[in-house]
Amino acid sequence: MSQQQLEVIAEQSADYEYNIYNYFVVKQKNSITAEELEQYPKIVLMNKAPTLTQEDVKCQVQGNSEAYSGNKFWLYPAIIIPEAISSSTKSLVDIIRQGIVITSNEEGLLYFIGGCVNYNSGYWRSGKYLIFQGGAQFGATGQTSITMSGGTRINTAALKEYAMTLNEESLQQICVIPILSRFYDPASSWINPTYYRAANNVSYEESVNELILPSATAQLLTYQPELNLLAIKREKDFYYRSDTSTYISKSLPDQLLDISSRFPYPYPAYYTSGIVYSGNFPTQLFLGYLRVVIVDFPKQSPFYSNDLLYPEFHNDYRSNPFILNNMSIGAPVYLSKYNPNNGKPCTDYGVLGLLCAISNFNADIKGNIVTDRSLLSQLPSDFIAGYYILTLVKAPEPSNIDQYIKWLGQENAVNMVLDGIRKAKRAISSLISSGILAGIAFSAVMAVEEWESEDQITRDAKPYVDKLNKLYNEALNYATSCIESLPNLPRNAKIIYIQQVQQYLSDLMYEVNAEASEEDILSWLEFKIQEYLSNQGIIPACP
């Protein structure tokens, strides 16, 4: 993005976001008409944002642009969905939520923090949970991606414990869910999202506590438009039934993985803090409110000017997919502010908080204002505009995740999930001790349906161990034949390359989805071997 384009978008965004405050907060409008919502772009044109707001938004847009152009995947929202769902599930809106993924102090353990569905609503069921973030996939099913990065299991008892802490009316819809990860050195292998900090020597906690009303022009980053379109496209076939259970469609995870690998859509917004909250979870978590106005997007979005829109693939969308609903619960809100005393013009573009609930809204549906909360579970085809008030909570950092879990009252639920993960880890260690390659042991355990006991997991993993051992040996033989076929390579060099490929292949086995077909897995392994040897400057004579 050129500097001129940045200036255009920043100016439009500043005016758009400032007037959310100026028009809806300062005037404290008790009722909103459809005409007022539809006229909002004209109101924006008549009221320019103050200079300081423009400087703040320039930082915001700069951070957004760098995240987009630099593919900073660690800033992308995570998407979560269960494999097993209730037969009463009406659409993907009922079961998809968003969040972030962070590291922990325990080896091989990550945490998803984001939206979740109350078990009492009947939509989430026990079993595997699939999480997608920045093109990485945690958890896998039989016909999904060949690769995966770990997984988690939530049983019915844990879901009921989570449900005791969740209440849509009191605006608590956030869960902390542990994940068993292949990143056994998470500090160097998994990148945490950047957190908002007012200055280099100020912590995230101190920074958000310093924000006062009127607070800041922030951005909600969410996959809402693409998820809405997916929900519409898969309205009739997002699930299948097997015996007495209902599962998400086997092709759905690949679509979610693809969505997670692309930059989300930035919703312009205005954040207000310093407001007393009377909900039923600790005030230590409450961050404030985010106000979002959506009018004829993407055309009237401040990120759209003379056909300039990023991400560009939203260019052909119409208003309807931009409607906010429950699929954005848990999505991160990002902020950067102008601070020339920080050694650079802007603070880092980082997480301000998480969308905990849609607390209030006025949606213009075909010229009529709708405030019925049932709309948050629907996909109306005649959405025109909307004004949303979103409740935000602080995001945990790895250093305070235990305290965050306590504040949510989710110690029992988290410990139940952790208990299954630790049994899975012990089963992996047991398989390794028996002579199984670590990557094969890990991937085999990832394929096991339930993690109820070490013995059960080890027993159920055996067919996958046998399958992956066979494929590993076939791939190693393939690599060896490739290297041996090179006529001008000295014998000692061939031995060294074979040893290197063997180590590389051993590491690859951590990423294999053991539930995929043998043909697909072997084809992927052979492709990765070819790619590895090519990167070493070797072009093997392999088929």
Side-chain angles (χ1 to χ4, degrees), residues 237-504:
D237 67 345
F238 69 90
Y239 66 91
Y240 71 95
R241 291 190 171 90
S242 177
D243 297 328
T244 59
S245 299
T246 304
Y247 301 93
I248 60 171
S249 169
K250 292 181 179 180
S251 60
L252 190 61
D254 277 343
Q255 292 177 293
L256 293 173
L257 180 64
D258 181 57
I259 290 173
S260 79
S261 68
R262 300 198 295 267
F263 194 74
Y265 192 79
Y267 279 67
Y270 204 91
Y271 163 69
T272 53
S273 64
I275 302 172
V276 176
Y277 171 67
S278 58
N280 72 339
F281 60 97
T283 55
Q284 297 98 318
L285 290 180
F286 176 64
L287 192 60
Y289 295 103
L290 193 75
R291 287 169 167 80
V292 177
V293 176
I294 307 166
V295 184
D296 190 19
F297 277 13
K299 182 179 178 181
Q300 296 294 344
S301 166
F303 305 119
Y304 182 101
S305 175
N306 299 322
D307 294 326
L308 173 67
L309 176 72
Y310 61 96
E312 294 175 358
F313 50 79
H314 293 101
N315 195 29
D316 296 327
Y317 290 3
R318 295 297 177 262
S319 295
N320 187 48
F322 290 89
I323 187 172
L324 285 176
N325 57 38
N326 287 333
M327 288 192 288
S328 277
I329 300 297
V333 173
Y334 279 85
L335 179 67
S336 175
K337 288 177 69 69
Y338 179 66
N339 184 2
N341 298 320
N342 196 37
K344 53 184 179 179
C346 304
T347 64
D348 288 339
Y349 181 74
V351 173
L352 173 66
L354 304 176
L355 195 170
C356 179
I358 300 175
S359 53
N360 202 353
F361 67 94
N362 292 265
D364 179 355
I365 307 295
K366 206 174 182 179
N368 298 307
I369 291 295
V370 177
T371 59
D372 186 344
R373 295 191 67 83
S374 66
L375 185 67
L376 300 178
S377 299
Q378 300 173 22
L379 293 162
S381 59
D382 40 19
F383 171 77
I384 298 173
Y387 169 58
Y388 296 82
I389 301 177
L390 314 176
T391 301
L392 300 188
V393 292
K394 295 174 184 176
E397 297 179 90
S399 59
N400 74 334
I401 185 65
D402 292 338
Q403 181 61 60
Y404 194 89
I405 292 168
K406 289 179 181 178
W407 282 338
L408 288 174
Q410 293 180 357
E411 301 101 311
N412 288 344
V414 171
N415 284 334
M416 287 179 177
V417 179
L418 282 174
D419 182 57
I421 285 176
R422 287 166 181 157
K423 288 172 181 174
K425 290 175 72 173
R426 289 195 295 271
I428 292 170
S429 296
S430 176
L431 289 169
I432 294 171
S433 297
S434 69
I436 304 300
L437 282 175
I440 290 176
F442 178 83
S443 293
V445 167
M446 286 301 104
V448 173
E449 287 295 320
E450 297 179 346
W451 294 344
E452 296 299 328
S453 72
E454 180 184 338
D455 288 344
Q456 168 262 318
I457 298 169
T458 304
R459 181 177 62 253
D460 292 352
K462 189 176 186 309
Y464 296 108
V465 168
D466 294 341
K467 173 181 176 179
L468 294 179
N469 264 331
K470 172 177 172 285
L471 294 172
Y472 170 84
N473 288 324
E474 289 180 11
L476 183 57
N477 289 336
Y478 171 81
T480 301
S481 66
C482 286
I483 295 170
E484 290 287 6
S485 67
L486 297 171
N488 299 322
L489 198 63
R491 184 62 190 163
N492 286 344
K494 289 182 178 180
I495 293 172
I496 291 172
Y497 278 122
I498 290 171
Q499 290 173 340
Q500 290 176 345
V501 170
Q502 185 173 13
Q503 181 58 55
Y504 174 70

Side-chain angles (χ1 to χ4, degrees), residues 29-72:
K29 301 179 74 63
N30 294 321
S31 62
I32 298 172
T33 67
E35 183 179 7
E36 286 175 318
L37 277 177
E38 292 173 31
Q39 293 298 312
Y40 183 73
K42 293 183 179 179
I43 294 170
V44 170
L45 290 174
M46 293 186 295
N47 297 280
K48 303 298 290 182
T51 301
L52 183 57
T53 299
Q54 291 184 21
E55 294 292 346
D56 278 348
V57 174
K58 190 182 296 183
C59 291
Q60 184 79 356
V61 174
Q62 179 68 47
N64 182 291
S65 175
E66 290 174 358
Y68 170 50
S69 60
N71 191 29
K72 296 182 178 180

Side-chain angles (χ1 to χ4, degrees), residues 3 14 30 102 107 134 142 159 178 223 318 395 449 452 479 522 536:
Q3 185 63 32
N30 294 321
I102 66 172
E107 183 181 67
L159 286 172
Y223 288 113
R318 295 297 177 262
E449 287 295 320
E452 296 299 328
L522 185 59
Q536 299 298 312

Side-chain angles (χ1 to χ4, degrees), residues 152-181:
T152 193
R153 307 288 186 275
I154 309 179
N155 60 28
T156 300
L159 286 172
K160 289 181 177 179
E161 286 289 336
Y162 279 119
M164 293 174 63
T165 71
L166 303 175
N167 190 321
E168 183 176 352
E169 292 180 358
S170 60
L171 311 180
Q172 160 45 6
Q173 298 177 66
I174 297 293
C175 288
V176 177
I177 299 173
I179 308 166
L180 180 54
S181 167

